[in-house]
Amino acid sequence: MKQEIQRIFHPSILWGTAYKNCTFALQLFCAWLVSRVLETAITEDWARQYMDIGVAALSILLGGIILSLLSQRCAQTKMDNLQQFRQEVCLRVINGELDIPSSGELDVRLHRSAETIQRFFSDTCPQMIAAILTALVSFTTLCSINLRIGFIMLGLSMLQLLPTLLYEKWTKKIYAQTQTDEEAYCNWIMEGIKGISTIKAYQQETWFIRQFQKRCESLIRSGMKENGTAAIEDTVTELIKTILNYGSYLIIGAFILFCGINAVQLPLLLVLAPHLFSSAASIVRGIVDRYKYQQALEGFAMRKNIRIRRTVYHSPVAAEASHIQKSYDGKTVLADISFKILQNDRILLCGENGAGKTTLLRILLGLCSHDQGILLQGGQSIAFALQEDPLLPFSAQETADWLIQDGIIEETMFYRHMRAFGNSAMLSQTLDECSAGQRKKFFLSVALAKNAAFLILDEPTNHLDADSTAYLLEQLSSYSGTLLVCTHDQRLCLPWSHVFQMKEGMLYEA
């Protein structure tokens, strides 16, 4: 995923670097022209002076136009790349390639984390690249004017690295804690909204609110620490920058007065010294931003270390599990699960809420890892629709177009299912604004249009009306592949090959 992210944001880096370098080049050119104007004024060469002033005015005008066009291009590229990145994330979530277990964490990834990555590539990387080039040009030019002043200014600019080196570990810990607390807060809200009926049924509203308050307090504390850390960083950086800038004026004045530097070089010196300092400051900020980027990047890690062995030969086995175990925070969710599903089997999975059914399906799909055991798959193509539908900030039409263009679903079948579900009108809406029923019908249409050999559905009739449930039953009755359905709905009465019952993390065949 890291290489894909770099590919998406590569245009932002190029245009941002071009804008930064052109800005520095224009400022340096203007400083050189001012030096020429001073020289002609001292020599009283008025004809040459007027010509230099005209060249300066024309250069500023043309440079301003070029910078304005580059600035607009940079802004547009930033937005385009961010949108493209979010689309890529959503597509990989739908395909089960990203390990993002809940809607709350997905929301944080698509907003805070995506924007952090975008800032790193669109702002930080161009600034650091331009800073290195600016530092080299500034240092070389200062040394050409006077070797001693070049090394003095370089030494002063390096002082800006000291504060970052001193409190780097401290800031990393605070930024990491803030992201963890924000994910926990968003996830708690999302899961609480979806499980409100269960919370009420068990009369646990007080417990839910108490846990919610704890997460609010943790987020507020970590947010205040992060803001305080950022304030300290900015204060220290600005303090050092101010001292260096005013100190550099005194140093430049001393060199002009006592070291024989020509006064006409003053405009160049006043531009080169601050740019040398700002280059070091950009590198300092880049070190901090790079850590934030790495933290955000961890949230887009592709699934790995999931012990699924896929057979490369023809096998009658669609899926087989042996002694699968899974725990969360010390609580056993799945305890020694073993089963075998043959090709073209029709499996019904039942059980109470919290018995571990959804976790088992997510492991079977490879959306999360198991702690122990072996999972064998027969290499069949898989389509699925889970109980928790992704709340994507894109229209249903956009999402369908991506899936169709990538050859994941068949276009004619998809639109036929959407019409049959009476769901075509929602295509212009974003999925996070649609009702639960509309989202359910959309993702069922996607799963059915994939025309896969193995279909897995988790509570597919949730939020469906009677007509939609009847259509789904019709499609499942005519489905010829391997079918695994987790449901409590008695209306989905099919000729099941096996009926599995889950209770307290154990699997039994009824």
Side-chain angles (χ1 to χ4, degrees), residues 380-423:
Q380 292 180 301
S381 59
I382 298 177
F384 62 90
L386 297 181
Q387 183 176 2
E388 180 184 335
D389 301 314
L391 300 173
L392 306 178
F394 303 106
S395 72
Q397 186 65 67
E398 285 181 288
T399 308
D401 289 342
W402 306 332
L403 297 173
I404 292 168
Q405 290 169 7
D406 288 353
I408 296 172
I409 62 175
E410 205 279 320
E411 182 176 8
T412 303
M413 290 179 63
F414 170 75
Y415 287 113
R416 177 167 60 83
H417 293 313
M418 288 290 285
R419 286 193 298 271
F421 278 125
N423 206 36

Side-chain angles (χ1 to χ4, degrees), residues 48-61:
R48 182 181 167 190
Q49 185 181 49
Y50 294 145
M51 184 179 67
D52 289 342
I53 292 175
V55 171
L58 183 61
S59 300
I60 293 172
L61 178 61

Side-chain angles (χ1 to χ4, degrees), residues 448-473:
L448 294 172
K450 190 173 181 181
N451 199 22
F454 193 172
L455 179 61
I456 299 176
L457 304 177
D458 188 5
E459 299 293 352
T461 59
N462 278 5
H463 312 294
L464 292 188
D465 53 71
D467 290 340
S468 296
T469 301
Y471 177 74
L472 177 62
L473 179 59

Side-chain angles (χ1 to χ4, degrees), residues 41-83:
I42 292 172
T43 59
E44 297 184 354
D45 187 350
W46 306 117
R48 182 181 167 190
Q49 185 181 49
Y50 294 145
M51 184 179 67
D52 289 342
I53 292 175
V55 171
L58 183 61
S59 300
I60 293 172
L61 178 61
L62 293 176
I65 294 173
I66 292 172
L67 290 179
S68 177
L69 294 175
L70 282 175
S71 177
Q72 293 176 15
R73 180 69 185 207
C74 287
Q76 185 62 46
T77 304
K78 285 181 185 180
M79 291 189 292
D80 292 344
N81 290 166
L82 180 59
Q83 183 76 355

Side-chain angles (χ1 to χ4, degrees), residues 316-388:
V317 176
E320 183 177 1
S322 177
H323 306 293
I324 297 295
Q325 297 182 27
K326 180 67 177 179
S327 298
Y328 289 111
D329 298 326
K331 179 183 177 182
T332 300
V333 180
L334 300 178
D336 199 29
I337 298 290
S338 297
F339 63 84
K340 180 185 289 187
I341 300 175
L342 299 180
Q343 291 184 11
N344 301 323
D345 272 351
R346 304 169 80 80
I347 307 297
L348 174 64
L349 180 61
C350 305
E352 298 179 353
N353 290 335
K357 304 186 299 299
T358 297
T359 301
L360 178 60
L361 294 183
R362 290 179 65 84
I363 290 175
L364 182 60
L365 290 166
L367 299 179
C368 67
S369 62
H370 49 282
D371 300 330
Q372 295 184 31
I374 297 175
L375 181 62
L376 176 72
Q377 290 190 352
Q380 292 180 301
S381 59
I382 298 177
F384 62 90
L386 297 181
Q387 183 176 2
E388 180 184 335

Side-chain angles (χ1 to χ4, degrees), residues 100-331:
I100 300 179
S102 67
S103 298
E105 293 188 26
L106 177 61
D107 184 67
V108 173
R109 302 289 196 275
L110 288 176
H111 293 88
R112 178 188 174 100
S113 299
E115 289 167 3
T116 298
I117 290 173
Q118 185 247 6
R119 282 195 300 271
F120 177 76
F121 283 107
S122 300
D123 299 327
T124 304
C125 286
Q127 284 178 351
M128 293 190 72
I129 295 172
I132 294 171
L133 181 60
T134 299
L136 289 174
V137 173
S138 299
F139 175 67
T140 303
T141 308
L142 285 170
C143 288
S144 68
I145 295 173
N146 186 285
L147 189 62
R148 287 177 295 175
I149 199 172
F151 278 97
I152 290 174
M153 294 301 176
L154 178 63
L156 290 174
S157 65
M158 298 301 291
L159 292 176
Q160 297 177 85
L161 297 175
L162 291 178
T164 300
L165 297 176
L166 292 175
Y167 55 67
E168 182 180 6
K169 291 184 179 179
W170 172 58
T171 56
K172 284 182 177 180
K173 183 178 179 181
I174 291 174
Y175 291 140
Q177 185 62 47
T178 302
Q179 180 157 343
T180 300
D181 289 341
E182 184 175 6
E183 290 178 0
Y185 172 82
C186 292
N187 192 43
W188 193 257
I189 292 177
M190 294 288 188
E191 298 303 316
I193 291 173
K194 283 185 285 189
I196 191 67
S197 58
T198 304
I199 293 171
K200 287 183 176 180
Y202 287 92
Q203 298 181 345
Q204 293 296 314
E205 296 95 330
T206 303
W207 169 82
F208 177 81
I209 294 298
R210 188 163 53 247
Q211 296 297 319
F212 178 65
Q213 288 175 340
K214 289 182 180 179
R215 282 160 176 78
C216 286
E217 292 169 359
S218 297
L219 181 59
I220 291 171
R221 284 195 299 269
S222 58
M224 292 177 64
K225 286 182 180 179
E226 182 179 14
N227 290 336
T229 301
I232 292 173
E233 288 178 345
D234 292 341
T235 301
V236 173
T237 300
E238 289 300 319
L239 179 62
I240 293 176
K241 183 178 178 181
T242 301
I243 294 173
L244 291 180
N245 281 336
Y246 286 106
S248 66
Y249 299 154
L250 294 175
I251 294 171
I252 291 171
F255 269 83
I256 290 175
L257 290 174
F258 305 111
C259 297
I261 293 180
N262 196 328
V264 299
Q265 301 286 358
L266 182 60
L268 276 174
L269 294 172
L270 292 178
V271 169
L272 293 170
H275 273 88
L276 187 60
F277 297 151
S278 64
S279 298
S282 295
I283 293 173
V284 170
R285 286 193 299 270
I287 294 173
V288 176
D289 291 343
R290 183 174 181 273
Y291 174 73
K292 293 181 181 179
Y293 156 73
Q294 290 173 336
Q295 287 291 110
L297 188 63
E298 290 177 2
F300 299 99
M302 301 293 288
R303 293 185 289 111
K304 59 183 180 179
N305 299 327
I306 298 179
R307 286 162 287 183
I308 298 178
R309 188 168 70 243
R310 300 185 184 274
T311 57
V312 296
Y313 52 87
H314 178 74
S315 170
V317 176
E320 183 177 1
S322 177
H323 306 293
I324 297 295
Q325 297 182 27
K326 180 67 177 179
S327 298
Y328 289 111
D329 298 326
K331 179 183 177 182

